[in-house]
Amino acid sequence: MAAGGTGQPSTGHGEKGEKGGARTALAGLTTRGRSFLAAGIAAAICAYVLGQPDLLRVGLLLAALPLICAAVVYRTRYRVAGSRRLSPARVPAGSEARVHLRMDNVSRLPTGLLMLQDRVPYVLGPRPRFVLDRVEAGGRREVSYRVRSDLRGRYPLGPLQLRLSDPFGMCELTRAFSTYDTLTVIPRVEPLPPVRLSGEAKGYGDGRQRALALAGEDDVIPRGYRYGDDLRRVHWRLTARYGELMVRREEQPQRSRCTVLLDTRGLAYQGAGPDSAFEWAVSGAASVLVHMLERGFSVRLLTDTGNSVPGEGSDGFAGASQESADAAGLMMDTLAVVDHSDGTGLSRAYDVLRGGNEGLLVAFLGDLDEEQAAVAAKMRQRSGGAVAFLLDSDSWAREPNGVPDPMNRQEERLRMLREAGWTALSVPRGASLNELWRQADRERAGVMTTSGTSGGEGWS
């Protein structure tokens, strides 16, 4: 995916613009240009005092040269166009993206020495600078640089600054283009293995926690005949009622639902930075979202605030009209900028979940007190299957050899969730989601074998 912008430095018009432009051009004189101008003025004064016409001509030449160069450079800046292209425009944290800059000389005259400078946030690296030699009329120059960030977010690139210089080095003018681009650094996505907890493992098929996929509103009831429809699908009873050919809707494939719940409460996590518990939870949610979309599930992202993404339909899931790539991109963009919320509980998320049949529920939870653990336990009643990854932020904030919590609150919260039907796992510091995913599969399989139940919502 690439993004870019083009533009030229802009100027004002009218009398005020001309005066401002003249002042700008004179302010761009270099030390050499000012020296020539001062020497020319001094020579002209001496020639007038001494009555030397030859010296006057020399003085006028010395003074006119930097002024002419300033005028040429000032006019040249209208004739240079720049563009920027990101490759890619959405990159995982810790990975590099390449920024391509292109300068086009759209005038009929060659340019002098050019210096490019692009503005980038400090978290992406040092500010890039490039020096370009003379660009011929109608010519172009292309340069590139790399950016990298360990912190997710949306970072503006630009505007691009261009410094123009004349061949004699008399004048240099710096102008900024008006366009900029945005680099989106999304959370790290860890590939997950295909596992099967129970029931159907694929996103399409028959099941009790399913929703119609690829079915539009016109297919909910028999619709009017369209050219090319099979006559065997004609609904003769409705045809007689409406006086026109009506056809039955085709059987539509079924799509499983999956809700990924991300706990963003600020009080539920300790520490900050790319290795914090909260960043692990965000990365884990991103990994599960991508994995389930690839498996054909209809997925949505839900936070403790009750906000869901994509949220385009009435049920908040990524509908059949959305391509998986578009849905994944929308949710990744949301996770790129998600931050701690000011909420104190999970009640808003529970209100969303109790509204209907939600299919599979995968939750990434921070520290839970007894009240919030009870709320999370009730969420299991509205899902066909539920898996919880419970992060103990105290252990993440402690040193590796730190003293553990003597009250063992983490085990108590896990017990409450498991008794409610969750497949609940504790997430220690530096844990691998890949291994926890497999462990959840093994624990779920053990529970199903012990209970002798084969139904329920499958996931993979």
Side-chain angles (χ1 to χ4, degrees), residues 64-103:
L65 181 59
L67 297 177
I68 294 174
C69 292
V72 171
V73 172
Y74 178 75
R75 297 301 299 177
T76 302
R77 68 193 181 100
Y78 293 98
R79 304 298 184 180
V80 179
S83 63
R84 182 189 300 103
R85 180 172 57 88
L86 309 182
S87 179
R90 184 187 292 117
V91 62
S95 300
E96 290 184 344
R98 183 168 289 275
V99 182
H100 301 269
L101 302 178
R102 171 177 163 178
M103 301 302 302

mmCIF file of all heavy atoms in Angstrom, residues 64-103:
data_model
loop_
_atom_site.group_PDB
_atom_site.id
_atom_site.type_symbol
_atom_site.label_atom_id
_atom_site.label_comp_id
_atom_site.label_asym_id
_atom_site.label_seq_id
_atom_site.Cartn_x
_atom_site.Cartn_y
_atom_site.Cartn_z
ATOM 1 N N ALA A 64 24.690 44.103 -8.283
ATOM 2 C CA ALA A 64 23.580 43.556 -9.059
ATOM 3 C C ALA A 64 23.590 42.032 -9.085
ATOM 4 O O ALA A 64 22.526 41.398 -9.158
ATOM 5 C CB ALA A 64 23.619 44.100 -10.485
ATOM 6 N N LEU A 65 24.783 41.433 -9.009
ATOM 7 C CA LEU A 65 24.874 39.976 -9.127
ATOM 8 C C LEU A 65 24.074 39.253 -8.036
ATOM 9 O O LEU A 65 23.257 38.372 -8.350
ATOM 10 C CB LEU A 65 26.337 39.543 -9.125
ATOM 11 C CG LEU A 65 26.584 38.039 -9.267
ATOM 12 C CD1 LEU A 65 25.984 37.527 -10.577
ATOM 13 C CD2 LEU A 65 28.079 37.729 -9.195
ATOM 14 N N PRO A 66 24.237 39.531 -6.736
ATOM 15 C CA PRO A 66 23.416 38.826 -5.730
ATOM 16 C C PRO A 66 21.935 39.149 -5.834
ATOM 17 O O PRO A 66 21.090 38.288 -5.547
ATOM 18 C CB PRO A 66 24.014 39.303 -4.404
ATOM 19 C CG PRO A 66 24.711 40.565 -4.704
ATOM 20 C CD PRO A 66 25.213 40.433 -6.105
ATOM 21 N N LEU A 67 21.593 40.381 -6.264
ATOM 22 C CA LEU A 67 20.188 40.717 -6.408
ATOM 23 C C LEU A 67 19.538 39.930 -7.547
ATOM 24 O O LEU A 67 18.402 39.452 -7.434
ATOM 25 C CB LEU A 67 20.026 42.219 -6.655
ATOM 26 C CG LEU A 67 20.499 43.142 -5.514
ATOM 27 C CD1 LEU A 67 20.340 44.598 -5.913
ATOM 28 C CD2 LEU A 67 19.750 42.842 -4.232
ATOM 29 N N ILE A 68 20.270 39.781 -8.638
ATOM 30 C CA ILE A 68 19.757 38.994 -9.763
ATOM 31 C C ILE A 68 19.601 37.523 -9.354
ATOM 32 O O ILE A 68 18.604 36.875 -9.669
ATOM 33 C CB ILE A 68 20.681 39.143 -10.977
ATOM 34 C CG1 ILE A 68 20.643 40.582 -11.491
ATOM 35 C CG2 ILE A 68 20.272 38.172 -12.077
ATOM 36 C CD1 ILE A 68 21.626 40.860 -12.603
ATOM 37 N N CYS A 69 20.609 37.012 -8.647
ATOM 38 C CA CYS A 69 20.532 35.611 -8.191
ATOM 39 C C CYS A 69 19.348 35.404 -7.252
ATOM 40 O O CYS A 69 18.644 34.387 -7.325
ATOM 41 C CB CYS A 69 21.825 35.221 -7.495
ATOM 42 S SG CYS A 69 23.262 35.118 -8.594
ATOM 43 N N ALA A 70 19.109 36.374 -6.349
ATOM 44 C CA ALA A 70 17.971 36.258 -5.434
ATOM 45 C C ALA A 70 16.662 36.263 -6.200
ATOM 46 O O ALA A 70 15.724 35.501 -5.880
ATOM 47 C CB ALA A 70 18.004 37.395 -4.415
ATOM 48 N N ALA A 71 16.549 37.111 -7.221
ATOM 49 C CA ALA A 71 15.327 37.156 -8.022
ATOM 50 C C ALA A 71 15.113 35.855 -8.780
ATOM 51 O O ALA A 71 13.993 35.343 -8.862
ATOM 52 C CB ALA A 71 15.387 38.337 -8.991
ATOM 53 N N VAL A 72 16.188 35.293 -9.328
ATOM 54 C CA VAL A 72 16.075 34.033 -10.072
ATOM 55 C C VAL A 72 15.653 32.905 -9.150
ATOM 56 O O VAL A 72 14.756 32.108 -9.469
ATOM 57 C CB VAL A 72 17.406 33.720 -10.782
ATOM 58 C CG1 VAL A 72 17.361 32.307 -11.365
ATOM 59 C CG2 VAL A 72 17.689 34.743 -11.866
ATOM 60 N N VAL A 73 16.291 32.818 -7.975
ATOM 61 C CA VAL A 73 15.945 31.756 -7.038
ATOM 62 C C VAL A 73 14.514 31.917 -6.551
ATOM 63 O O VAL A 73 13.768 30.949 -6.392
ATOM 64 C CB VAL A 73 16.938 31.744 -5.857
ATOM 65 C CG1 VAL A 73 16.488 30.766 -4.775
ATOM 66 C CG2 VAL A 73 18.327 31.381 -6.341
ATOM 67 N N TYR A 74 14.122 33.167 -6.311
ATOM 68 C CA TYR A 74 12.767 33.427 -5.832
ATOM 69 C C TYR A 74 11.720 32.973 -6.847
ATOM 70 O O TYR A 74 10.689 32.423 -6.481
ATOM 71 C CB TYR A 74 12.608 34.920 -5.543
ATOM 72 C CG TYR A 74 11.224 35.303 -5.085
ATOM 73 C CD1 TYR A 74 10.801 35.001 -3.802
ATOM 74 C CD2 TYR A 74 10.353 35.959 -5.953
ATOM 75 C CE1 TYR A 74 9.529 35.342 -3.385
ATOM 76 C CE2 TYR A 74 9.086 36.308 -5.546
ATOM 77 C CZ TYR A 74 8.669 35.996 -4.252
ATOM 78 O OH TYR A 74 7.406 36.341 -3.847
ATOM 79 N N ARG A 75 12.004 33.151 -8.121
ATOM 80 C CA ARG A 75 11.067 32.719 -9.149
ATOM 81 C C ARG A 75 11.157 31.215 -9.401
ATOM 82 O O ARG A 75 10.171 30.586 -9.746
ATOM 83 C CB ARG A 75 11.354 33.474 -10.456
ATOM 84 C CG ARG A 75 11.162 34.974 -10.380
ATOM 85 C CD ARG A 75 9.745 35.338 -9.993
ATOM 86 N NE ARG A 75 8.774 34.843 -10.969
ATOM 87 C CZ ARG A 75 7.455 34.972 -10.832
ATOM 88 N NH1 ARG A 75 6.963 35.548 -9.745
ATOM 89 N NH2 ARG A 75 6.649 34.524 -11.763
ATOM 90 N N THR A 76 12.329 30.642 -9.194
ATOM 91 C CA THR A 76 12.518 29.219 -9.468
ATOM 92 C C THR A 76 11.683 28.350 -8.543
ATOM 93 O O THR A 76 11.257 27.268 -8.912
ATOM 94 C CB THR A 76 14.000 28.846 -9.333
ATOM 95 O OG1 THR A 76 14.767 29.646 -10.241
ATOM 96 C CG2 THR A 76 14.233 27.378 -9.650
ATOM 97 N N ARG A 77 11.410 28.796 -7.345
ATOM 98 C CA ARG A 77 10.720 27.964 -6.381
ATOM 99 C C ARG A 77 9.297 27.620 -6.799
ATOM 100 O O ARG A 77 8.709 26.689 -6.266
ATOM 101 C CB ARG A 77 10.693 28.638 -5.012
ATOM 102 C CG ARG A 77 9.845 29.891 -4.933
ATOM 103 C CD ARG A 77 10.149 30.641 -3.648
ATOM 104 N NE ARG A 77 9.325 31.823 -3.542
ATOM 105 C CZ ARG A 77 8.222 31.887 -2.804
ATOM 106 N NH1 ARG A 77 7.847 30.828 -2.140
ATOM 107 N NH2 ARG A 77 7.531 32.995 -2.744
ATOM 108 N N TYR A 78 8.727 28.362 -7.741
ATOM 109 C CA TYR A 78 7.403 28.039 -8.228
ATOM 110 C C TYR A 78 7.418 26.843 -9.175
ATOM 111 O O TYR A 78 6.367 26.301 -9.480
ATOM 112 C CB TYR A 78 6.810 29.238 -8.975
ATOM 113 C CG TYR A 78 6.509 30.429 -8.110
ATOM 114 C CD1 TYR A 78 7.394 31.483 -8.021
ATOM 115 C CD2 TYR A 78 5.325 30.503 -7.396
ATOM 116 C CE1 TYR A 78 7.118 32.581 -7.238
ATOM 117 C CE2 TYR A 78 5.034 31.612 -6.616
ATOM 118 C CZ TYR A 78 5.937 32.647 -6.536
ATOM 119 O OH TYR A 78 5.653 33.735 -5.756
ATOM 120 N N ARG A 79 8.583 26.442 -9.625
ATOM 121 C CA ARG A 79 8.692 25.465 -10.701
ATOM 122 C C ARG A 79 9.154 24.097 -10.237
ATOM 123 O O ARG A 79 9.489 23.271 -11.052
ATOM 124 C CB ARG A 79 9.681 25.983 -11.760
ATOM 125 C CG ARG A 79 9.340 27.354 -12.327
ATOM 126 C CD ARG A 79 8.010 27.336 -13.033
ATOM 127 N NE ARG A 79 7.701 28.611 -13.659
ATOM 128 C CZ ARG A 79 6.604 28.867 -14.332
ATOM 129 N NH1 ARG A 79 5.704 27.919 -14.474
ATOM 130 N NH2 ARG A 79 6.397 30.054 -14.851
ATOM 131 N N VAL A 80 9.207 23.883 -8.967
ATOM 132 C CA VAL A 80 9.669 22.591 -8.443
ATOM 133 C C VAL A 80 8.508 21.925 -7.718
ATOM 134 O O VAL A 80 7.876 22.539 -6.862
ATOM 135 C CB VAL A 80 10.864 22.773 -7.485
ATOM 136 C CG1 VAL A 80 11.314 21.427 -6.942
ATOM 137 C CG2 VAL A 80 12.013 23.458 -8.212
ATOM 138 N N ALA A 81 8.215 20.690 -8.087
ATOM 139 C CA ALA A 81 7.128 19.917 -7.476
ATOM 140 C C ALA A 81 7.717 18.717 -6.753
ATOM 141 O O ALA A 81 8.691 18.110 -7.218
ATOM 142 C CB ALA A 81 6.124 19.467 -8.525
ATOM 143 N N GLY A 82 7.136 18.392 -5.616
ATOM 144 C CA GLY A 82 7.623 17.265 -4.824
ATOM 145 C C GLY A 82 6.506 16.301 -4.483
ATOM 146 O O GLY A 82 5.338 16.676 -4.389
ATOM 147 N N SER A 83 6.849 15.050 -4.304
ATOM 148 C CA SER A 83 5.880 14.030 -3.915
ATOM 149 C C SER A 83 6.548 13.061 -2.956
ATOM 150 O O SER A 83 7.768 12.919 -2.919
ATOM 151 C CB SER A 83 5.333 13.281 -5.141
ATOM 152 O OG SER A 83 6.378 12.584 -5.797
ATOM 153 N N ARG A 84 5.711 12.380 -2.172
ATOM 154 C CA ARG A 84 6.190 11.423 -1.182
ATOM 155 C C ARG A 84 5.363 10.151 -1.302
ATOM 156 O O ARG A 84 4.145 10.210 -1.490
ATOM 157 C CB ARG A 84 6.057 11.998 0.229
ATOM 158 C CG ARG A 84 6.583 11.089 1.320
ATOM 159 C CD ARG A 84 6.233 11.592 2.716
ATOM 160 N NE ARG A 84 6.798 12.909 2.970
ATOM 161 C CZ ARG A 84 6.099 14.024 2.932
ATOM 162 N NH1 ARG A 84 4.798 13.991 2.628
ATOM 163 N NH2 ARG A 84 6.667 15.181 3.183
ATOM 164 N N ARG A 85 6.018 9.020 -1.180
ATOM 165 C CA ARG A 85 5.319 7.733 -1.249
ATOM 166 C C ARG A 85 5.825 6.836 -0.129
ATOM 167 O O ARG A 85 7.038 6.689 0.066
ATOM 168 C CB ARG A 85 5.544 7.076 -2.615
ATOM 169 C CG ARG A 85 4.857 5.719 -2.770
ATOM 170 C CD ARG A 85 4.950 5.233 -4.208
ATOM 171 N NE ARG A 85 6.335 5.163 -4.657
ATOM 172 C CZ ARG A 85 7.114 4.099 -4.486
ATOM 173 N NH1 ARG A 85 6.637 3.023 -3.878
ATOM 174 N NH2 ARG A 85 8.357 4.104 -4.923
ATOM 175 N N LEU A 86 4.900 6.248 0.613
ATOM 176 C CA LEU A 86 5.244 5.362 1.723
ATOM 177 C C LEU A 86 5.100 3.919 1.273
ATOM 178 O O LEU A 86 4.120 3.548 0.621
ATOM 179 C CB LEU A 86 4.332 5.611 2.924
ATOM 180 C CG LEU A 86 4.194 7.064 3.397
ATOM 181 C CD1 LEU A 86 3.308 7.121 4.615
ATOM 182 C CD2 LEU A 86 5.552 7.667 3.687
ATOM 183 N N SER A 87 6.041 3.114 1.665
ATOM 184 C CA SER A 87 6.014 1.700 1.285
ATOM 185 C C SER A 87 6.476 0.841 2.469
ATOM 186 O O SER A 87 7.686 0.700 2.687
ATOM 187 C CB SER A 87 6.915 1.459 0.056
ATOM 188 O OG SER A 87 6.923 0.101 -0.302
ATOM 189 N N PRO A 88 5.523 0.276 3.217
ATOM 190 C CA PRO A 88 4.070 0.469 3.121
ATOM 191 C C PRO A 88 3.632 1.628 4.007
ATOM 192 O O PRO A 88 4.419 2.152 4.797
ATOM 193 C CB PRO A 88 3.536 -0.858 3.648
ATOM 194 C CG PRO A 88 4.542 -1.257 4.684
ATOM 195 C CD PRO A 88 5.888 -0.782 4.179
ATOM 196 N N ALA A 89 2.350 2.007 3.894
ATOM 197 C CA ALA A 89 1.819 3.084 4.732
ATOM 198 C C ALA A 89 1.341 2.570 6.078
ATOM 199 O O ALA A 89 1.094 3.348 6.984
ATOM 200 C CB ALA A 89 0.666 3.779 4.011
ATOM 201 N N ARG A 90 1.191 1.258 6.219
ATOM 202 C CA ARG A 90 0.812 0.631 7.485
ATOM 203 C C ARG A 90 1.838 -0.446 7.788
ATOM 204 O O ARG A 90 1.985 -1.398 7.024
ATOM 205 C CB ARG A 90 -0.602 0.051 7.397
ATOM 206 C CG ARG A 90 -1.103 -0.525 8.711
ATOM 207 C CD ARG A 90 -2.439 -1.241 8.548
ATOM 208 N NE ARG A 90 -3.525 -0.324 8.228
ATOM 209 C CZ ARG A 90 -4.216 -0.357 7.111
ATOM 210 N NH1 ARG A 90 -3.915 -1.259 6.175
ATOM 211 N NH2 ARG A 90 -5.197 0.496 6.891
ATOM 212 N N VAL A 91 2.567 -0.313 8.887
ATOM 213 C CA VAL A 91 3.678 -1.205 9.178
ATOM 214 C C VAL A 91 3.588 -1.649 10.628
ATOM 215 O O VAL A 91 3.193 -0.867 11.513
ATOM 216 C CB VAL A 91 5.024 -0.476 8.908
ATOM 217 C CG1 VAL A 91 5.188 0.734 9.795
ATOM 218 C CG2 VAL A 91 6.205 -1.415 9.072
ATOM 219 N N PRO A 92 3.915 -2.910 10.935
ATOM 220 C CA PRO A 92 3.894 -3.360 12.335
ATOM 221 C C PRO A 92 4.998 -2.688 13.147
ATOM 222 O O PRO A 92 6.034 -2.272 12.609
ATOM 223 C CB PRO A 92 4.125 -4.872 12.225
ATOM 224 C CG PRO A 92 3.812 -5.226 10.809
ATOM 225 C CD PRO A 92 4.152 -4.021 9.995
ATOM 226 N N ALA A 93 4.777 -2.581 14.442
ATOM 227 C CA ALA A 93 5.769 -1.996 15.329
ATOM 228 C C ALA A 93 7.057 -2.816 15.277
ATOM 229 O O ALA A 93 7.036 -4.051 15.266
ATOM 230 C CB ALA A 93 5.232 -1.947 16.760
ATOM 231 N N GLY A 94 8.183 -2.131 15.223
ATOM 232 C CA GLY A 94 9.473 -2.791 15.136
ATOM 233 C C GLY A 94 9.934 -3.077 13.724
ATOM 234 O O GLY A 94 11.076 -3.504 13.530
ATOM 235 N N SER A 95 9.088 -2.844 12.736
ATOM 236 C CA SER A 95 9.450 -3.072 11.341
ATOM 237 C C SER A 95 9.738 -1.733 10.663
ATOM 238 O O SER A 95 9.332 -0.675 11.140
ATOM 239 C CB SER A 95 8.338 -3.802 10.593
ATOM 240 O OG SER A 95 8.075 -5.063 11.179
ATOM 241 N N GLU A 96 10.432 -1.805 9.560
ATOM 242 C CA GLU A 96 10.837 -0.603 8.843
ATOM 243 C C GLU A 96 9.908 -0.317 7.676
ATOM 244 O O GLU A 96 9.361 -1.239 7.057
ATOM 245 C CB GLU A 96 12.276 -0.736 8.326
ATOM 246 C CG GLU A 96 13.336 -0.723 9.412
ATOM 247 C CD GLU A 96 14.732 -0.751 8.826
ATOM 248 O OE1 GLU A 96 14.867 -1.075 7.626
ATOM 249 O OE2 GLU A 96 15.690 -0.446 9.561
ATOM 250 N N ALA A 97 9.736 0.950 7.411
ATOM 251 C CA ALA A 97 9.032 1.416 6.217
ATOM 252 C C ALA A 97 9.968 2.329 5.442
ATOM 253 O O ALA A 97 10.823 3.000 6.031
ATOM 254 C CB ALA A 97 7.743 2.153 6.591
ATOM 255 N N ARG A 98 9.821 2.349 4.151
ATOM 256 C CA ARG A 98 10.671 3.190 3.310
ATOM 257 C C ARG A 98 9.845 4.336 2.743
ATOM 258 O O ARG A 98 8.736 4.138 2.257
ATOM 259 C CB ARG A 98 11.304 2.379 2.179
ATOM 260 C CG ARG A 98 12.266 3.185 1.313
ATOM 261 C CD ARG A 98 13.072 2.268 0.419
ATOM 262 N NE ARG A 98 14.034 1.492 1.170
ATOM 263 C CZ ARG A 98 15.240 1.910 1.506
ATOM 264 N NH1 ARG A 98 15.638 3.136 1.150
ATOM 265 N NH2 ARG A 98 16.060 1.145 2.180
ATOM 266 N N VAL A 99 10.418 5.520 2.834
ATOM 267 C CA VAL A 99 9.771 6.727 2.326
ATOM 268 C C VAL A 99 10.518 7.164 1.074
ATOM 269 O O VAL A 99 11.733 7.392 1.115
ATOM 270 C CB VAL A 99 9.781 7.850 3.376
ATOM 271 C CG1 VAL A 99 9.056 9.077 2.852
ATOM 272 C CG2 VAL A 99 9.147 7.376 4.673
ATOM 273 N N HIS A 100 9.803 7.263 -0.031
ATOM 274 C CA HIS A 100 10.387 7.663 -1.304
ATOM 275 C C HIS A 100 10.007 9.107 -1.597
ATOM 276 O O HIS A 100 8.816 9.461 -1.596
ATOM 277 C CB HIS A 100 9.896 6.755 -2.436
ATOM 278 C CG HIS A 100 10.208 5.302 -2.231
ATOM 279 N ND1 HIS A 100 11.361 4.723 -2.702
ATOM 280 C CD2 HIS A 100 9.526 4.320 -1.589
ATOM 281 C CE1 HIS A 100 11.378 3.450 -2.379
ATOM 282 N NE2 HIS A 100 10.271 3.171 -1.697
ATOM 283 N N LEU A 101 11.006 9.922 -1.835
ATOM 284 C CA LEU A 101 10.794 11.329 -2.195
ATOM 285 C C LEU A 101 11.154 11.529 -3.662
ATOM 286 O O LEU A 101 12.156 10.994 -4.144
ATOM 287 C CB LEU A 101 11.660 12.246 -1.326
ATOM 288 C CG LEU A 101 11.447 12.152 0.186
ATOM 289 C CD1 LEU A 101 12.421 13.078 0.905
ATOM 290 C CD2 LEU A 101 10.013 12.485 0.563
ATOM 291 N N ARG A 102 10.334 12.316 -4.325
ATOM 292 C CA ARG A 102 10.572 12.583 -5.745
ATOM 293 C C ARG A 102 10.426 14.074 -5.999
ATOM 294 O O ARG A 102 9.439 14.684 -5.609
ATOM 295 C CB ARG A 102 9.573 11.803 -6.597
ATOM 296 C CG ARG A 102 9.591 12.178 -8.073
ATOM 297 C CD ARG A 102 8.627 11.324 -8.853
ATOM 298 N NE ARG A 102 8.324 11.900 -10.147
ATOM 299 C CZ ARG A 102 7.532 11.342 -11.053
ATOM 300 N NH1 ARG A 102 6.960 10.170 -10.778
ATOM 301 N NH2 ARG A 102 7.293 11.923 -12.196
ATOM 302 N N MET A 103 11.432 14.646 -6.641
ATOM 303 C CA MET A 103 11.424 16.059 -6.993
ATOM 304 C C MET A 103 11.410 16.185 -8.508
ATOM 305 O O MET A 103 12.220 15.563 -9.202
ATOM 306 C CB MET A 103 12.647 16.769 -6.417
ATOM 307 C CG MET A 103 12.764 16.695 -4.901
ATOM 308 S SD MET A 103 11.336 17.373 -4.041
ATOM 309 C CE MET A 103 11.346 19.047 -4.689
#
